[in-house]
Amino acid sequence: MVKENIPRHVGFIMDGNGRWAKEHGRPRTYGHKKGADVIHEIVSASFNGGIKAVSLYAFSTENWARPKEEVDSIFELLRKFLKKYAKELIDEEIKLIISGDLSALPENLRTECLERIADTSRFSDHVLNIAINYGSKAEIVHAVNKALEKGKKQISEEDISENSYTSGLPDIDLIVRTGGEQRLSNFFLWQSAYAELYFTDTYWPDFHKKQLNEAVEWYSLRQRRFGDVSPKQG
Ligand code: IPE
Ligand code: IPE
Ligand code: MG
């Protein structure tokens, strides 16, 4: 991976599992399994390459529209993933956070999430943020309501950031969306106000370390100006 201009926080919209499966003549659920299989490689390569925070879009509030069998299989894959890497999260000192409304999730997945969060809450150097039952508009409304409950009369940008799921994390520098679509699909709109957007046709199950390096290299060549006239670092 390049060494300069590394994004601090990268968001991955892990899209294309279903089309990958179709191209391989397999059911969509198999595509999700193959997709889940590459997550570990991408997350560890990101942290090893100097990225501090990784956000993954695993299940959107809109994804409830899918057939129940598919939804259940995605939840089961997430539960297994969290269980499999429970020890590694601690050994590698990775803080896990989950963005989204956990109350609607199956009990066993919710428990797995809460246990992993509790186990890793003391860490701060590396953060893995998994968006499950997540939608950005709902998050912003939720943050505003939380600030109002705390007695705020006027809502500031800081209030929304502090009451969002990603409170304390730097904003997203780079969004990588696999699967060819060029849209954000309600993914961390507030946190990516100034993110660089990288779209690739590669389906998520085919997105490996090499493809990650290409995305980070592309990012390192961007000139971020944040409204100014001269480029700014980070
Ligand atoms: C992304 O892959 C995974 C989830 C939305 C959970 P898709 O399942 O959306 O794959 P395509 O877009 O149908 O190929
Ligand atoms: C976005 O993918 C959500 C996740 C990757 C979890 P979708 O496949 O749901 O997005 P749309 O429907 O094509 O916008
Ligand atoms: Mg999709």
Side-chain angles (χ1 to χ4, degrees):
M1 209 181 264
V2 285
K3 288 276 172 287
E4 282 181 18
N5 281 340
I6 300 283
R8 277 173 308 172
H9 185 175
V10 181
F12 292 94
I13 302 178
M14 309 185 289
D15 198 18
N17 293 348
R19 281 163 288 160
W20 184 94
K22 193 166 186 212
E23 277 190 9
H24 290 78
R26 307 294 296 263
R28 292 181 59 86
T29 47
Y30 185 73
H32 293 311
K33 186 183 176 308
K34 296 301 279 186
D37 286 347
V38 302
I39 292 176
H40 181 265
E41 176 185 344
I42 295 303
V43 173
S44 46
S46 297
F47 290 149
N48 290 335
I51 293 163
K52 297 288 183 198
V54 171
S55 290
L56 301 173
Y57 208 178
F59 190 85
S60 74
T61 45
E62 289 74 25
N63 289 146
W64 289 106
R66 297 184 179 208
K68 185 172 185 306
E69 185 203 342
E70 180 171 346
V71 170
D72 288 346
S73 84
I74 293 169
F75 289 156
E76 186 56 11
L77 286 165
L78 287 169
R79 191 187 65 77
K80 284 189 177 147
F81 174 85
L82 290 171
K83 193 173 158 72
K84 181 171 178 188
Y85 294 110
K87 184 170 180 300
E88 187 170 327
L89 286 170
I90 297 171
D91 292 345
E92 300 290 323
E93 305 199 346
I94 297 166
K95 180 191 185 94
L96 180 85
I97 61 176
I98 304 282
S99 293
D101 178 8
L102 294 182
S103 69
L105 301 181
E107 176 78 47
N108 61 359
L109 173 57
R110 187 168 58 244
T111 307
E112 195 66 43
C113 290
L114 294 174
E115 284 178 4
R116 301 294 73 77
I117 292 167
D119 277 0
T120 62
S121 63
R122 62 189 184 278
F123 304 131
S124 57
D125 282 0
H126 290 122
V127 179
L128 175 61
N129 169 34
I130 309 185
I132 309 178
N133 191 19
Y134 174 85
S136 201
K137 287 189 171 184
E139 177 186 36
I140 294 168
V141 171
H142 183 67
V144 170
N145 283 326
K146 265 169 76 178
L148 291 174
E149 277 164 27
K150 290 176 188 167
K152 297 273 174 176
K153 299 270 182 293
Q154 293 266 332
I155 306 296
S156 66
E157 291 187 12
E158 286 71 31
D159 288 328
I160 296 188
S161 294
E162 280 166 20
N163 289 290
S164 71
Y165 292 116
T166 57
S167 171
L169 284 188
D171 274 352
I172 295 181
D173 299 302
L174 168 65
I175 286 190
V176 173
R177 182 170 188 145
T178 59
E181 309 297 351
Q182 303 199 354
R183 56 177 171 253
L184 295 177
S185 303
N186 211 6
F187 180 69
F188 294 113
L189 304 179
W190 181 266
Q191 295 84 341
S192 22
Y194 250 107
E196 302 291 328
L197 307 178
Y198 181 86
F199 298 106
T200 170
D201 288 339
T202 303
Y203 295 140
W204 178 255
D206 290 329
F207 193 84
H208 294 285
K209 212 168 150 175
K210 174 177 174 285
Q211 286 74 19
L212 172 68
N213 287 342
E214 285 166 7
V216 172
E217 228 161 286
W218 173 89
Y219 172 88
S220 72
L221 299 174
R222 299 287 96 202
Q223 291 199 340
R224 305 185 80 196
R225 287 184 286 276
F226 297 100
D228 204 341
V229 286
S230 54
K232 295 266 176 297
Q233 282 285 337

